[in-house]
Amino acid sequence: MKRAILFAVLFIFMFSFAFSKTTITYWQYFYKTKQDTINQLIKEFEKENPDIEVKHVTFPYENYNQKVAASLPAGVGPDVINLFYGWLPMYIESGYLMELPKDTFNKDYFDNNFYPFVEKSVQYEGKYYAVPTAVRSLALFYNKKILKEIGLEQPPKNLNEVIEVAKKLSKYDKRGNLIRAGFTMQPSGQHHHWLREVLVRQFGGVPYTSDNKTVLYDKTGAKSEVLQWYVDRIVKDNVGFPNFLNDDVTAFQSNMAAMTIDGSFRLGTLDANRNLDYGVVELPEYNGIKSNFASFWAHGITTNAKGEKLDASVKFLEFITSPKAMELWLKNTGELPANPEVALKYYDDPKYGPFLKGLEYAHATFFADEKAQRELMMNAIDEVYLKDVSAEDAWKKAADTEQKILDEFWNK
């Protein structure tokens, strides 16, 4: 009898051990298409790895970093986390992320599987901390129906000509108030990136030194004339203004804007709107110069992941950044595959193609403090547009403020 009980206990112990699961937690901010896509990937991953369970948790974007800051230092929260590439220095300096295992995630891995700007952007002091599934660039979205009002099938490719078309397509009420934007002007959308990485270069300047330690947009090219050109489209041409119909996305979705600049991540949302007939082209060139802004969200492994959780986290990270995951991500969200070979077959796609071509000449900004650097660019526009500060003073103030941010970061 005792022997039977002993065998039974031993069997239960061995059975439990054989089928015990390692549970890891994945965090990202809430965005419906991203949430659904990760849920689908988790199902497939758990099917292939029955010994691993992945808990998926989302938070509102506005509270995301605060939630991370409150959780990880206390040793709770995610094992794998999704974060904007511009937050990497802050996350690393705060001790949230661990260096990725070198045997898998090394220079050869990134060189062979990702666009070149990815390898530079996920590296910090010679170590790699994150891997993206998808990348983003900007393009010009246009409303086909509105452009046909003046006989155009597509917008022109030159920036000056785009603005001339925008003036023709803008509509005003009897008091002169804008009721349909020819071209959205939304600094809080993607325009702070457009101003910094595209217009500065198209006006002959460069935003930073190659080591990302010195601000140059106030010292090179047209300097503050870039900012003045931007504000003139709001004040003089009145083709659009900040927060028109709440924001640029709302205006374009509701057929109340002829053209807008936005990211590839917007495709999934716009395609769901059956009342919108739109097209996409590369960003307009200026002075014969093409430029674009590249960005991405990536997945990193936190310092919470240890032992079996770390092994499971590495497997999960490899799975959600695989070519198969990139294909699904593109289909569901519209975001571009981070692997050029996966992206190649979409190169001539009418909607994905302009973004993929834009990646060839895109720049990814180095952010020491993404939020502060984003806001100072938006503030510079507001000061000229709303407070009658000269473009020269506002541009210098933005550059001085950003230089302090970079100095504080690099001199730690």
Side-chain angles (χ1 to χ4, degrees):
M1 184 65 180
K2 287 183 179 178
R3 181 174 294 179
I5 293 173
L6 182 62
F7 276 126
V9 170
L10 184 61
F11 176 77
I12 292 170
F13 173 77
M14 293 179 66
F15 182 85
S16 302
F17 181 78
F19 289 93
S20 64
K21 290 186 177 182
T22 300
T23 301
I24 59 172
T25 302
Y26 175 81
W27 278 16
Q28 67 170 336
Y29 79 91
F30 176 77
Y31 193 86
K32 185 69 167 60
T33 53
K34 289 179 67 174
Q35 181 190 46
D36 293 345
T37 305
I38 281 291
N39 283 339
Q40 188 174 342
L41 287 171
I42 288 173
K43 279 185 181 178
E44 295 178 17
F45 175 75
E46 290 178 337
K47 190 176 180 181
E48 291 183 14
N49 298 272
D51 58 333
I52 301 173
E53 179 184 20
V54 182
K55 289 186 177 178
H56 179 198
V57 182
T58 63
F59 299 96
Y61 178 83
E62 295 76 17
N63 304 329
Y64 192 66
N65 278 331
Q66 292 91 328
K67 194 72 180 177
V68 171
S71 301
L72 284 172
V76 296
D79 301 291
V80 182
I81 190 167
N82 187 238
L83 71 156
F84 186 59
Y85 87 97
W87 299 345
L88 271 168
M90 177 179 71
Y91 273 48
I92 296 165
E93 287 290 327
S94 299
Y96 301 160
L97 298 179
M98 65 167 58
E99 179 188 3
L100 297 177
K102 293 177 183 176
D103 56 341
T104 302
F105 305 101
N106 47 48
K107 190 173 191 309
D108 286 344
Y109 168 79
F110 284 103
D111 287 347
N112 293 331
N113 295 289
F114 295 91
Y115 282 100
F117 64 83
V118 169
E119 188 268 339
K120 296 175 183 174
S121 302
V122 298
Q123 181 190 150
Y124 186 71
E125 295 184 340
K127 301 175 182 177
Y128 297 102
Y129 288 89
V131 188
T133 303
V135 292
R136 303 167 162 183
S137 65
L138 303 178
L140 180 68
F141 291 67
Y142 63 96
N143 186 303
K144 291 183 178 180
K145 185 177 179 181
I146 296 177
L147 257 65
K148 283 180 181 175
E149 292 177 12
I150 57 172
L152 291 178
E153 293 294 327
Q154 288 194 340
K157 297 179 179 179
N158 178 280
L159 183 57
N160 282 339
E161 293 172 352
V162 167
I163 298 303
E164 288 306 310
V165 169
K167 288 193 278 188
K168 292 178 183 176
L169 295 175
S170 297
K171 284 190 174 180
Y172 309 89
D173 64 15
K174 292 180 180 178
R175 295 183 177 180
N177 298 312
L178 186 73
I179 57 173
R180 187 178 76 184
F183 185 76
T184 62
M185 301 296 293
Q186 188 71 34
S188 62
Q190 299 301 311
H191 276 208
H192 60 96
H193 296 307
W194 184 49
L195 180 60
R196 185 198 308 267
E197 289 292 358
V198 179
L199 293 181
V200 164
R201 295 175 190 279
Q202 291 182 326
F203 279 74
V206 288
Y208 310 98
T209 52
S210 58
D211 61 5
N212 299 311
K213 293 184 177 179
T214 306
V215 175
L216 290 180
Y217 53 74
D218 62 326
K219 305 174 187 68
T220 58
K223 304 175 185 175
S224 63
E225 289 179 23
V226 181
L227 178 59
Q228 188 64 60
W229 181 93
Y230 184 89
V231 176
D232 283 349
R233 307 290 73 77
I234 301 172
V235 178
K236 290 185 177 180
D237 293 341
N238 194 19
V239 296
F241 57 82
N243 304 322
F244 172 69
L245 295 183
N246 193 50
D247 57 51
D248 52 346
V249 180
T250 304
F252 191 72
Q253 276 191 306
S254 57
N255 290 296
M256 295 306 291
M259 294 177 284
T260 189
I261 287 177
D262 212 332
S264 42
F265 51 88
R266 197 69 64 193
L267 291 173
T269 301
L270 296 182
D271 284 343
N273 185 348
R274 296 182 178 179
N275 296 318
L276 180 66
D277 186 12
Y278 75 98
V280 183
V281 294
E282 290 177 73
L283 289 180
E285 62 178 45
Y286 185 66
N287 288 328
I289 299 172
K290 287 184 173 183
S291 188
N292 208 310
F293 169 69
S295 65
F296 55 89
W297 285 71
H299 320 278
I301 298 177
T302 75
T303 46
N304 279 353
K306 295 180 175 65
E308 293 178 349
K309 282 179 177 283
L310 175 57
D311 295 337
S313 296
V314 170
K315 281 187 178 179
F316 184 59
L317 182 59
E318 288 183 286
F319 186 84
I320 59 176
T321 57
S322 65
K324 180 181 177 182
M326 291 180 188
E327 292 270 10
L328 182 67
W329 206 270
L330 175 70
K331 177 185 173 185
N332 289 1
T333 71
E335 291 190 320
L336 312 171
N339 184 322
E341 288 189 16
V342 178
L344 188 60
K345 63 182 177 183
Y346 302 100
Y347 196 77
D348 294 322
D349 182 277
K351 287 184 179 174
Y352 301 138
F355 292 103
L356 291 171
K357 291 167 186 169
L359 284 175
E360 295 176 354
Y361 47 84
H363 305 270
T365 307
F366 172 83
F367 290 108
D369 185 336
E370 186 271 335
K371 183 173 182 288
Q373 288 172 268
R374 167 168 36 98
E375 289 179 347
L376 66 85
M377 195 61 68
M378 291 160 51
N379 291 339
I381 295 168
D382 282 349
E383 288 197 329
V384 180
Y385 166 49
L386 298 175
K387 301 177 182 177
D388 288 331
V389 175
S390 72
E392 185 176 0
D393 288 346
W395 203 232
K396 184 177 186 307
K397 181 180 178 182
D400 290 346
T401 304
E402 188 159 16
Q403 188 60 59
K404 286 182 181 176
I405 293 171
L406 295 179
D407 288 344
E408 288 176 6
F409 179 80
W410 290 110
N411 293 331
K412 280 182 180 175

